[in-house]
Amino acid sequence: MTRPILEVDALERRFDVSAPWLNRVLERKPRRTLRAVDGVDFDIMPGQTLALVGESGCGKSTIAKLVTGLHAPSGGKIRFNGDPEKMQMIFQDPFASLNPRWRVGRIVAEPLRTLHPETPDAQVTARVEELLRTVGLSGADAAKFPHEFSGGQRQRISIARALAGEPEFLVCDEPTSALDVSVQAQVLNLMKKLQREMGLTYLFISHDLSVVRHMADVIAVMYLGRIVEIQPTGDLFANPLHPYTRMLLDTIPDLESPKRDRAPMGGEVPSPVSPPSGCSFHPRCPLAFDRCKRERPQREVHVHDRRVACFAAAEDRQESAHV
Amino acid sequence: MTDTVLDVRNLRVEFPTRRGVLTAVDDISLTIGKGEILGVVGESGAGKSMTGMAILGLLEPPGRIASGEIRLSGDRIDTLTEHQMQSVRGRRIGAIFQDPLTSLNPLFKVGDQLVETIRLHSTLTRTQARTRALDLMREVGIPAVEERIDNYPHQFSGGMRQRIVIALALCAEPELIIADEPTTALDVSIQAQITALLKRLCRDRGTAVMLVTHDMGVIAETADRVAVMYAGRLAELGNVEDVVRRPQHPYTAGLMGSIPSLRKDMHELQMIPGSMPRLGAIPSGCAFNPRCPQAGPKCRRDIPRSDGPGAACWLALTGETA
Ligand SMILES: Nc1ncnc2c1ncn2[C@@H]1O[C@H](COP(=O)(O)OP(=O)(O)OP(=O)(O)O)[C@@H](O)[C@H]1O
Ligand SMILES: Nc1ncnc2c1ncn2[C@@H]1O[C@H](COP(=O)(O)OP(=O)(O)OP(=O)(O)O)[C@@H](O)[C@H]1O
Ligand code: SF4
Ligand code: SF4
Ligand SMILES: [Mg+2]
Ligand SMILES: [Mg+2]
């Protein structure tokens, strides 16, 4: 059996969001802690794509930053069984992440020069041109500046730069969220092609379930800093186990069978500074019962093989009772 | 048609620049009826917001309406003075933008902002206006209105703020609401609540709604008819089911194919090669011709135009592109 390339175990990240010290003392306010990531477990197998989905603020980007070392964990472990040098990240905003004063050639060459400082210039230039062609740009584009490109082309430049570091593992945080759908299609097709050809592993973050369905082998659904459900993509869509996942699937607009007369579920995601007791989804959950307010459900081996954290799923209570 | 609320004919919006005149909206004609939601979709830079801003009379100079006519329930509004237009905007057209904070003053309680707006457009007393504000807040689905009415905008979540903006837009009972990406910054569950709210208001009050968005899914679930824009022009106009299921314009078809499905496994997404041209570099003939798999000589020569429903495409109009 192959070993996962990334193992994440009971990962936590807390942020201190207290008022400034003086205000706290004067106004007698307590310290406030925000649990952005609150006990998260998952593994990723080499060559696969694991997607994190969930609504704004559920902790997706914080996990990306923990995995890439931009944040230190407050608890738990991250084990990367690959070469740490070969992990790269692609961000949401392709413009902010490209230095506007550098020519594209220099931007793409940078990780290469860091990795192999001895490489002769001619070889760097040749490799940069090759990378630009790999992502569907032309070698001549190396001489241009980022502002001369469209959003989709800029995201291709970010991908070329990430590839220059010879990655085996890519963390992609909303790589197409700022792009138009036709341009998104170009970038997603490119990412899949590169994965097939180079055996890349992706940690892929998105709030868009249709994008995630297209890209991921395994999907982890997050709510308020926790993974509430994790399943292979086909199973998640065929048989969603968590009430929150079902709510998401019911609310996303569906081009193929528009739900024109639906009554959307009420409520909003509560503040992560003071999450609800027990199961943090209980105020919005149609299946909630007493236990949900007191205890926090865990993903357990005997409940759908650790795929869901929900007491109703454990007892096989059905949503149909309410619909 | 007495039920036509908005009637836009041959609208053209230009930006004079040092390097020549840019045409951001090029010969757009559309109508919206009472109680109807018209979706306006298209990629970034297609001219969706410019169309909305031109109708609202909010184009920033040097942007200007170069030609065309805009009528609201029969009254010409594109020729009004700024002063007259201000009153039309308050009373007869409501606006909802992507960022609710552009419509709310952070320094005032939301209740006071609602009361002010209501009194501007009616003869109600303060107390009556406050009662009406509470009703409106209830109508747009804000819980515990008695407590929330004296909160400031920052004390609300993004979704709740957008509800307040909708309440604000409703104060004067406008005939038309222009909503420009009203749910783009919101989470899916909140997005569904806001679009359901818009639909309900449109149905109950007979308000005409122009819903500008780049999200085809939102259009499919919300709009009655849809206008697809490309490079400042109307590519296709029609009933939402027709456009989504049987797109006539090659651009619309490509757009639909590039959206990942929630139901089908797709090995590869359909791609439209290239990207939408910048305003200064719109090709001659059909603006889509360099990216179109069906383009022929005619497409490079003459601009296809469609008056009314259908696709502005030579293939759809004449069956050939030679
Ligand atoms: N540096 C920080 N200091 C304080 N709070 C933070 C910090 N970074 C993130 N948070 C908070 O942690 C929570 C998770 O944030 P994160 O950015 O990981 O969410 P996300 O799932 O990526 O959301 P989005 O979809 O909006 O990008 C949020 O409540 C956020 O406000
Ligand atoms: N002040 C200006 N001067 C020149 N061109 C402008 C100006 N403002 C906007 N434009 C151009 O007008 C065109 C139409 O812009 P518009 O904002 O209507 O696009 P949109 O369809 O709303 O796009 P998005 O989805 O990004 O909001 C764009 O190409 C834009 O660059
Ligand atoms: S544990 Fe209870 S409240 Fe939480 S999702 Fe399951 S049924 Fe709902
Ligand atoms: S007019 Fe010609 S180029 Fe334009 S969309 Fe139709 S077939 Fe394609
Ligand atoms: Mg994020
Ligand atoms: Mg816009």
Side-chain angles (χ1 to χ4, degrees):
Chain A
M1 229 180 79
T2 45
R3 185 159 78 125
I5 187 166
L6 184 76
E7 297 171 86
V8 170
D9 184 20
L11 185 62
E12 283 182 28
R13 172 69 208 207
R14 292 181 289 273
F15 291 108
D16 186 348
V17 290
S18 313
W21 175 81
L22 194 61
N23 296 48
R24 251 190 6 250
V25 174
L26 294 177
E27 296 163 28
R28 294 170 189 278
K29 283 199 179 142
R31 253 184 193 290
R32 284 155 73 85
T33 308
L34 182 153
R35 294 170 174 272
V37 176
D38 192 11
V40 159
D41 306 312
F42 62 86
D43 293 343
I44 309 182
M45 301 307 282
Q48 294 230 308
T49 300
L50 178 124
L52 299 174
V53 275
E55 294 177 277
S56 185
C58 68
K60 305 180 295 293
S61 296
T62 306
I63 292 183
K65 288 178 186 153
L66 289 163
V67 167
T68 48
L70 294 172
H71 279 327
S74 322
K77 279 200 297 284
I78 300 172
R79 195 150 104 180
F80 184 58
N81 301 315
D83 179 352
E85 304 254 289
K86 303 207 159 177
M87 186 191 287
Q88 296 281 337
M89 184 153 173
I90 301 172
F91 298 91
Q92 170 169 356
D93 182 350
F95 204 49
S97 65
L98 300 176
N99 187 332
R101 280 180 294 275
W102 285 13
R103 286 180 202 277
V104 166
R106 182 170 172 201
I107 292 174
V108 176
E110 193 201 30
L112 207 114
R113 292 194 188 277
T114 318
L115 204 61
H116 308 290
E118 258 77 280
T119 324
D121 283 356
Q123 220 171 306
V124 172
T125 310
R127 176 81 183 123
V128 165
E129 290 182 359
E130 186 190 331
L131 284 164
L132 288 173
R133 280 194 299 273
T134 307
V135 299
L137 298 171
S138 87
D141 288 331
K144 297 185 185 160
F145 289 96
H147 74 257
E148 297 176 65
F149 294 87
S150 69
Q153 288 170 328
R154 283 180 215 143
Q155 199 55 294
R156 286 160 187 267
I157 297 169
S158 316
I159 295 173
R161 177 182 57 185
L163 292 178
E166 297 166 24
E168 38 186 45
F169 187 91
L170 276 171
V171 177
C172 318
D173 190 358
E174 309 260 11
T176 61
S177 301
L179 306 178
D180 282 311
V181 284
S182 75
V183 182
Q184 164 172 284
Q186 297 171 0
V187 173
L188 294 182
N189 281 351
L190 171 66
M191 290 183 66
K192 279 197 130 182
K193 175 167 164 274
L194 294 172
Q195 179 169 49
R196 274 196 308 274
E197 290 171 0
M198 305 177 167
L200 301 175
T201 308
Y202 293 140
L203 173 59
F204 188 95
I205 292 171
S206 175
H207 63 274
D208 185 331
L209 270 164
S210 62
V211 166
V212 157
R213 181 182 189 281
H214 183 67
M215 294 300 288
D217 299 293
V218 178
I219 297 176
V221 180
M222 295 191 62
Y223 191 76
L224 280 176
R226 315 196 78 213
I227 291 179
V228 295
E229 170 162 5
I230 180 166
Q231 293 213 68
T233 303
D235 294 353
L236 185 114
F237 278 85
N239 186 23
L241 296 169
H242 198 280
Y244 177 60
T245 313
R246 288 197 284 261
M247 187 202 93
L248 278 183
L249 290 173
D250 282 348
T251 27
I252 35 174
D254 188 344
L255 255 186
E256 284 135 288
S257 73
K259 301 171 277 269
R260 294 185 65 92
D261 297 312
R262 64 159 162 218
M265 179 175 267
E268 300 193 350
V269 181
S271 158
V273 179
S274 48
S277 62
C279 171
S280 52
F281 188 58
H282 85 250
R284 303 172 79 188
C285 181
L287 299 186
F289 54 108
D290 310 343
R291 188 177 172 197
C292 308
K293 289 185 195 139
R294 291 191 314 266
E295 274 175 70
R296 181 191 243 194
Q298 306 288 340
R299 281 159 45 210
E300 299 187 61
V301 185
H302 61 274
V303 181
H304 298 284
D305 195 22
R306 300 201 72 228
R307 288 178 173 199
V308 62
C310 167
F311 294 129
E315 295 179 12
D316 264 329
R317 295 184 178 219
Q318 289 302 311
E319 192 122 338
S320 52
H322 299 254
V323 176
Chain B
M1 279 230 301
T2 47
D3 272 357
T4 304
V5 176
L6 179 71
D7 188 353
V8 175
R9 282 205 204 143
N10 307 102
L11 177 68
R12 191 181 178 87
V13 174
E14 292 180 347
F15 284 90
T17 70
R18 254 171 292 151
R19 276 171 295 141
V21 175
L22 301 178
T23 307
V25 177
D26 188 357
D27 201 17
I28 296 270
S29 298
L30 47 85
T31 59
I32 313 180
K34 209 167 174 327
E36 184 180 47
I37 301 184
L38 175 79
V40 178
V41 272
E43 294 179 77
S44 185
K48 308 180 294 294
S49 297
M50 286 301 149
T51 306
M53 293 306 236
I55 296 166
L56 284 163
L58 288 176
L59 287 175
E60 302 231 355
R64 56 154 200 251
I65 296 180
S67 57
E69 297 177 3
I70 304 172
R71 285 194 169 74
L72 186 64
S73 305
D75 308 327
R76 189 85 189 255
I77 56 168
D78 55 304
T79 46
L80 298 180
T81 63
E82 170 50 27
H83 184 71
Q84 292 168 315
M85 200 55 208
Q86 249 174 26
S87 122
V88 169
R89 269 198 303 275
R91 276 174 218 276
R92 302 182 59 188
I93 313 180
I96 303 165
F97 298 108
Q98 174 169 342
D99 180 1
L101 292 179
T102 56
S103 314
L104 295 169
N105 188 328
L107 302 178
F108 293 96
K109 296 173 182 167
V110 299
D112 292 345
Q113 300 187 48
L114 285 165
V115 167
E116 276 317 303
T117 314
I118 291 165
R119 294 196 65 197
L120 204 64
H121 302 298
S122 68
T123 52
L124 298 185
T125 64
R126 268 208 90 75
T127 327
Q128 287 168 325
R130 193 173 161 93
T131 310
R132 171 116 180 85
L134 286 167
D135 286 343
L136 279 170
M137 285 174 74
R138 249 178 242 121
E139 184 170 357
V140 297
I142 293 175
V145 288
E146 311 271 354
E147 292 160 36
R148 303 308 303 262
I149 190 165
D150 291 318
N151 283 166
Y152 291 89
H154 75 265
Q155 292 172 293
F156 290 86
S157 67
M160 285 297 158
R161 266 181 223 145
Q162 199 59 298
R163 287 173 197 266
I164 306 243
V165 172
I166 295 176
L168 215 45
L170 291 176
C171 284
E173 311 211 3
E175 295 145 64
L176 172 70
I177 288 183
I178 295 189
D180 192 345
E181 310 271 3
T183 62
T184 304
L186 305 174
D187 277 324
V188 280
S189 59
I190 311 302
Q191 173 178 311
Q193 295 167 10
I194 299 288
T195 48
L197 170 63
L198 275 177
K199 266 201 293 203
R200 179 164 59 77
L201 295 172
C202 176
R203 200 180 47 225
D204 295 355
R205 296 167 165 253
T207 317
V209 176
M210 178 165 151
L211 176 64
V212 172
T213 170
H214 63 275
D215 189 332
M216 265 297 181
V218 169
I219 293 286
E221 300 210 332
T222 315
D224 301 301
R225 286 186 307 132
V226 57
V228 182
M229 288 188 72
Y230 185 81
R233 299 179 193 160
L234 213 51
E236 184 161 2
L237 179 70
N239 287 328
V240 72
E241 296 88 23
D242 294 340
V243 175
V244 169
R245 288 185 198 282
R246 292 172 293 278
Q248 302 295 308
H249 197 287
Y251 172 66
T252 321
L255 209 57
M256 294 298 167
S258 67
I259 302 172
S261 166
L262 277 168
R263 302 167 175 275
K264 290 193 294 279
D265 287 331
M266 293 192 277
H267 182 60
E268 277 215 315
L269 301 169
Q270 196 179 323
M271 285 195 286
I272 308 175
S275 53
M276 197 172 67
R278 284 169 215 176
L279 286 190
I282 295 180
S284 62
C286 171
F288 188 57
N289 85 66
R291 307 173 71 190
C292 180
Q294 277 112 315
K298 191 173 182 58
C299 310
R300 287 184 274 275
R301 223 171 33 231
D302 305 318
I303 300 182
R305 305 209 184 265
S306 148
D307 280 322
C313 162
W314 289 122
L315 208 58
L317 290 168
T318 63
E320 52 145 4
T321 59

